[in-house]
Amino acid sequence: MLSIMSDVMRLGVIGCGRIAQVAHFPALEKADGVEVVVVCDQSEEVARAVAGRYGIGSYVTDAAKVFENQQVEAVLIAVPDRFHRELAEAALRAGKHVLVEKPLASTVDEARQLVALQEETGLTLQVGSNKRYDPGLSFARDFVAAGRLGEVRSFHAWYRIGTIRPGVEATLFPRVFADAQVRQVEAGFKADRARYLMATHGAHIFDTLRYLLGEEVASVTVAHRDFGRDQAWSILVTLASGAIGSIDVVVDVPGDGAEGIEIFGSEGQLRVDTHFPFFRRASDVWAYNAAEGSATVPVFADTDPYERQAEAFARAVRGEAVAKPDAYDGLQAVRLIAAVGESAESGAEVRL
């Protein structure tokens, strides 16, 4: 770790692909307390183009050069999940703090290795879960944590991606620099739609569930249907407390998508409707407490969760806050993704 630190966290970004270009770099450009000093991508053309767009003085194609860079005290890893364990491990062993895109790793064993290494090094390891930095979801979490729902008894969550999403993205996203050969390789890995979609979106779903309800999942029972490119999961969830709930995940549905959760307790109920994150809009929340006899509908300014996430990471690196979600949270999400796959294949309940 660097012995001399300024108030600004000096960051190296590894991976200049789509998510980095449409989410992370625009947020990092605005984030307080963060300076990107080097970017890395296996495509020199992409690395050069991204560095040029954001006025970043250095670009490389070898991640080892980022880890060797004495200016860099922390790294953002924004590459496909099959590389997360290798790169996060190298970064931690080089004394760098790590913000790694979700999921934490490809397998439970790899995630456990990173949890152990983070504990060994004492460095910050934060998992990129931008939903935690949605102030609507934070309000809902605080409502539950304050006991205003009473005993949580049941819930229903939904995560549906609509067929109009590509058009929405084309409207909102900046031009993305890409390497055609790299895209072709990645398309091969994404061809296993069930695995790719559950890893990509399940990481969000399960982290949000644990974040909102503040407890662990005890078991899942899953029904999965494969409709070619389209996939559907219905997941019955039992929490450690004994509360029960369900999660529906469908990709794609005709038209618009939707994401949200309803939670019912002994003293109230709560509904959260979460918007496409690139609308930079906080979730809509409706929260009812029976003793008060009224509902609360908070209003928030529009927000960029990726910017808030980067600033929170910088505070964690400075020791001013605790990284959330941390490596343990990341491990729990990977365990749940694996459990869904196991239950979908066997049709049986899987206990965690």
Side-chain angles (χ1 to χ4, degrees), residues 67 138 229 257 330:
F67 304 141
S138 294
R229 280 190 56 80

Side-chain angles (χ1 to χ4, degrees), residues 92 113-125 326-327:
L92 291 169
Q113 291 170 30
L114 289 177
V115 169
L117 184 57
Q118 185 280 322
E119 291 174 348
E120 176 187 327
T121 63
L123 294 163
T124 297
L125 175 55
D326 60 16

Side-chain angles (χ1 to χ4, degrees), residues 271-284:
R271 179 178 173 118
V272 180
D273 289 283
T274 298
H275 304 281
F276 186 48
F278 298 96
F279 289 149
R280 273 71 172 181
R281 180 178 175 186
S283 291
D284 296 326

Side-chain angles (χ1 to χ4, degrees), residues 149-156 213 215 237-239 241-246 262-268:
L149 279 182
E151 177 188 51
V152 174
R153 293 177 173 174
S154 66
F155 62 89
H156 174 61
L213 298 181
E215 60 175 300
V237 178
T238 302
L239 301 180
S241 64
I244 57 172
S246 60
E262 290 181 311
I263 309 170
F264 301 92
S266 59
E267 304 296 333

Side-chain angles (χ1 to χ4, degrees), residues 93-255:
R93 293 197 184 283
K96 313 298 185 185
H97 302 279
V98 175
L99 171 58
V100 57
E101 256 294 349
K102 53 76 187 167
L104 172 61
S106 293
T107 68
V108 174
D109 283 345
E110 289 183 349
R112 286 193 176 115
Q113 291 170 30
L114 289 177
V115 169
L117 184 57
Q118 185 280 322
E119 291 174 348
E120 176 187 327
T121 63
L123 294 163
T124 297
L125 175 55
Q126 181 172 317
V127 182
S129 186
N130 62 291
K131 308 286 183 179
R132 290 207 183 199
Y133 296 95
D134 174 333
L137 281 169
S138 294
F139 177 93
R141 185 277 313 273
D142 292 343
F143 190 89
V144 175
R148 296 175 72 188
L149 279 182
E151 177 188 51
V152 174
R153 293 177 173 174
S154 66
F155 62 89
H156 174 61
W158 54 95
Y159 193 102
R160 300 188 290 269
I161 295 180
T163 55
I164 69 169
R165 177 166 169 163
V168 173
E169 293 178 348
T171 301
L172 295 173
F173 289 179
R175 177 192 171 198
V176 174
F177 302 108
D179 184 306
Q181 184 175 358
V182 172
R183 274 194 168 178
Q184 186 175 6
V185 170
E186 291 306 314
F189 285 96
K190 294 177 182 180
D192 183 350
R193 291 279 288 171
R195 187 268 166 199
Y196 169 72
L197 292 170
M198 184 49 64
T200 301
H201 301 295
H204 276 314
I205 295 162
F206 295 126
D207 186 70
T208 297
L209 186 69
R210 293 180 61 253
Y211 172 65
L212 282 180
L213 298 181
E215 60 175 300
E216 300 296 352
V217 174
S219 71
V220 295
T221 306
V222 181
H224 170 244
R225 296 294 180 268
D226 184 327
F227 302 102
R229 280 190 56 80
D230 296 340
Q231 307 286 318
W233 291 263
S234 184
I235 307 169
L236 177 64
V237 178
T238 302
L239 301 180
S241 64
I244 57 172
S246 60
I247 305 171
D248 293 331
V249 183
V250 187
V251 187
D252 288 327
V253 297

